[in-house]
Amino acid sequence: MTALGVVFRPQLPPERLRAVARAAEAAGLEELWLWEDCFLESGIASAAAVLAWTERLRVGIGLLPVPLRNVALTAMETATLDRMFPGRLALGVGHGVQSWMGQVGARAESPLTLLREYLDALRALLRGEEVTTEGRYVRLDAVALDWPPRTPPAVLAGVTGPRSLRLSGEAADGTILTADTPPDGVRRARRLADEGRAAAGRTGRHRVVVYLHTATGPDADARLAAELERGPVPPEEAFGVAGDAKAVAEAVRRLAEAGADTVVLQPTADEPDIEGLVRFAAEEVRPLVP
C-alpha cells in the first residue's frame, strides 16, 4: 500500500507545528515530514517535538544536510529519538543546498564523496558497530554508540543526479525525490537506484519517497501556478496537482504506479490552512489511494 504524508514546510513559524502535528494525529494521517532548510528550522528539534506530541504518527526528516552535521552527532540524535519513539522516525540525509553550505563555511569540494562516506559511517553506527575510518571528509576513531537503536532505522538519501541516485541505491536504504519529479522521473530514479543496489550486491526493496506539489481550495490553481513559477525547473516540466480529493488521489496513484512507496503532499509556501490540508489528505485523499 502506498503511504501518504504531508510536509510541514519551514516557511511556517515553528510555533505552528504543534497544532499541525495534533491535527495529523487526530485525522489519522500516516506520516508528517519536516525539512531542515537553512536558516529556518532544525529537523531534529522539530522531529523530537512532533514525536513527543503524538502517539502514532510517523515522522520523516527529509532531509539533514550532511556538510552541516558531524556524522557522530547525527547518529547520536537519531539513536536517541529512535529509542524513545521506536519505529516512528524516518531519516533522510543529503548534499544540502551548496550555496547555503558555502554561507556557513561547510561546502565540500566533492559532495558525492562526502555523502558516500557519511552514509557508510552513519548506517554502521546505527547498527551498533564501532567505527574507525579516515576518509576524505568523515574521520572517526573507535566511535560507537552506547545506546544504539534496538532496530536500526532506515536511512534515506535525498538526491537528484544520476551518480547520486546510484549511490543512494548502493549505500542508503531509500531515496527521497523532490516535488518537481514527474512519474517518468520516479521510474528513472528507481532504475538508477536499483542499478546501484545491484552493483553493491544488495537485495530487498529500496524505499522511494517523493514529494508532490499540492493545492486545494478555491484558489488552488493560482497558488500552484505561482509555486511552480518560482521553482527550479520550468513550470511545464514540473509535476503538481490542484483540485479536489479525486484529482490529488489520481496524481498520487500516478507516482505510486511509477514506483513511489510514499507520496508526501507538499503545500504551497502560502498555504492558508495547513491543518485543513492535513485533514484533507487523511480523510478525503487517503480513502481514494490504494
Side-chain angles (χ1 to χ4, degrees):
M1 185 175 75
T2 306
L4 189 67
V6 173
V7 60
F8 178 91
R9 294 181 59 167
Q11 284 81 6
L12 293 167
E15 57 268 26
R16 292 283 307 279
L17 182 56
R18 184 175 186 175
V20 174
R22 290 189 166 177
E25 177 91 346
L29 186 71
E30 292 153 83
E31 300 185 1
L32 186 68
W33 282 73
L34 306 164
W35 292 348
E36 185 164 88
D37 277 2
C38 297
F39 300 95
L40 295 166
E41 292 163 18
S42 159
I44 292 291
S46 298
V50 172
L51 289 164
W53 289 327
T54 59
E55 296 291 335
R56 174 205 53 78
L57 186 68
R58 296 197 298 271
V59 178
I61 304 176
L63 49 79
L64 300 177
V66 299
L68 194 63
R69 289 179 163 274
N70 183 280
V71 69
L73 178 63
T74 298
M76 289 165 58
E77 291 180 319
T78 302
T80 300
L81 287 177
D82 191 77
R83 300 239 352 171
M84 291 191 294
F85 309 101
R88 293 177 56 203
L89 178 69
L91 175 69
V93 298
H95 301 303
V97 176
Q98 294 307 296
S99 60
W100 292 341
M101 298 303 99
Q103 281 182 269
V104 298
R107 186 165 185 162
E109 289 185 7
S110 177
L112 197 68
T113 300
L114 169 56
L115 185 58
R116 180 184 296 276
E117 294 178 357
Y118 201 100
L119 284 167
D120 289 345
L122 178 59
R123 293 179 65 241
L125 289 168
L126 293 176
R127 290 193 298 266
E129 299 173 14
E130 181 181 287
V131 180
T132 295
T133 183
E134 187 69 24
R136 181 174 177 182
Y137 297 103
V138 175
R139 299 178 179 89
L140 300 173
D141 182 10
V143 175
L145 299 176
D146 285 344
W147 297 104
R150 292 184 174 89
T151 301
V155 177
L156 289 76
V159 291
T160 55
R163 293 173 65 200
S164 296
L165 285 163
R166 289 191 184 94
L167 170 61
S168 181
E170 291 176 27
D173 300 306
T175 299
I176 303 172
L177 303 174
T178 72
D180 296 305
T181 310
D184 283 347
V186 175
R187 293 186 184 92
R188 168 182 170 273
R190 182 168 282 289
R191 183 178 68 253
L192 290 167
D194 286 345
E195 287 176 8
R197 290 179 69 75
R202 301 184 68 188
T203 59
R205 181 73 171 177
H206 183 83
R207 183 183 179 191
V208 173
V209 178
V210 60
Y211 294 106
L212 171 63
H213 290 295
T214 306
T216 190
D219 59 347
D221 289 317
R223 286 193 292 110
L224 179 64
E227 182 81 10
L228 298 183
E229 191 67 38
R230 293 190 293 265
V233 302
E236 63 273 13
E237 296 178 13
F239 187 68
V241 58
D244 60 10
K246 184 177 179 181
V248 175
E250 176 58 28
V252 172
R253 282 197 297 269
R254 288 182 61 193
L255 293 170
E257 289 168 358
D261 299 293
T262 300
V263 178
V264 182
L265 306 188
Q266 178 176 311
T268 60
D270 58 352
E271 166 61 51
D273 182 11
I274 183 65
E275 293 90 345
L277 181 66
V278 162
R279 290 189 288 269
F280 167 78
E283 297 170 0
E284 298 185 44
V285 178
R286 172 76 270 177
L288 302 178
V289 175

